């Protein structure tokens, strides 16, 4: 019986499990707008740790920076966590990340999930919209320039 034994083992020993979860949390923070695709148990195990890191970032003291730096893998992720994500979620009381199930992996049939920050899909959508708009404007300008160039050539 597993009474009072909380957490996910993920079929790994302690050090491998810790390294895996640290890597997942660091990846989610570094690639803020991107999606991290992993298995559902790994996403469920990483979600509380990710939320704890964002909660630390909301305080932004030297002590919390050092706590985050001891867990995250790269200094760039610590900087991004405290500079961007902390202020972004300052007014929110928890629920900073979400798990979206996307289906089963073709090779072994493991259920896949996307671990992402709440609101990152809106940021990604806005970036895509801006890029499409810029391409449309560029095409219109090139089209007008081609028309003007065509008239001058005749």
């Amino acid at each position: 019986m597993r009474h009072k034994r909380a957490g996910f083992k993920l079929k790994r020993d302690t050090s491998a499990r810790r390294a895996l979860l640290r890597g997942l949390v660091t990846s989610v923070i570094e690639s803020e707008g991107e999606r991290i695709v992993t298995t559902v148990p790994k996403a469920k195990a990483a979600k509380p740790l990710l939320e704890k890191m964002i909660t630390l970032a909301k305080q932004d003291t030297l002590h919390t920076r050092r706590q985050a730096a001891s867990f995250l893998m790269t200094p760039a992720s610590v900087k991004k966590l405290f500079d961007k994500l902390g202020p972004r979620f300052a007014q929110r009381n928890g629920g900073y990340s979400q798990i979206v199930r996307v289906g089963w992996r073709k090779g072994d049939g493991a259920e896949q999930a996307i671990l992402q920050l709440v609101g990152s899909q809106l940021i990604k959508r806005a970036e895509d919209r801006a890029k499409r708009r810029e391409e449309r404007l560029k095409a219109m300008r090139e089209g007008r320039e081609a028309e003007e160039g065509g008239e001058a050539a005749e």
Side-chain angles (χ1 to χ4, degrees), residues 8-154:
F8 294 85
K9 283 197 170 186
L10 302 175
K11 297 183 179 180
R12 288 165 171 80
D13 61 353
T14 309
S15 60
R17 184 169 55 245
R18 178 172 159 79
L20 169 79
L21 295 175
R22 286 177 66 197
L24 273 175
V25 171
T26 303
S27 296
V28 171
I29 290 171
E30 282 183 345
S31 61
E32 172 188 355
E34 299 296 318
R35 300 172 163 188
I36 302 300
V37 180
T38 183
T39 61
V40 172
K42 288 178 190 174
K44 284 183 174 182
K47 185 177 177 178
L49 300 172
L50 176 62
E51 304 224 347
K52 183 179 178 184
M53 290 296 114
I54 294 173
T55 303
L56 286 176
K58 287 168 59 174
Q59 294 176 7
D60 196 12
T61 62
L62 179 61
H63 182 59
T64 56
R65 278 184 183 266
R66 285 181 175 167
Q67 283 178 316
S70 72
F71 184 79
L72 297 175
M73 300 280 223
T74 62
S77 62
V78 176
K79 184 169 175 46
K80 186 171 189 177
L81 176 68
F82 282 90
D83 293 347
K84 289 186 178 180
L85 299 181
R88 179 172 142 193
F89 292 113
Q91 300 301 317
R92 191 178 180 101
N93 296 323
Y96 314 114
S97 61
Q98 63 183 9
I99 297 173
V100 181
R101 293 169 189 250
V102 292
W104 289 269
R105 191 161 46 203
K106 193 170 186 178
D108 60 354
E111 189 175 6
Q112 297 287 97
I114 294 172
L115 180 61
Q116 63 186 0
L117 296 172
V118 171
S120 62
Q121 60 274 19
L122 300 176
I123 294 169
K124 182 85 170 157
R125 201 175 301 149
E127 289 174 0
D128 291 342
R129 198 176 297 132
K131 189 184 293 183
R132 279 188 306 232
R133 182 171 182 249
E134 187 176 306
E135 289 173 0
R136 233 183 3 251
L137 289 172
K138 185 178 179 183
M140 285 174 53
R141 276 191 235 118
E142 289 175 356
R144 288 182 186 158
E145 290 173 5
E147 290 174 9
E148 291 172 2
E151 292 172 5
E154 290 178 7

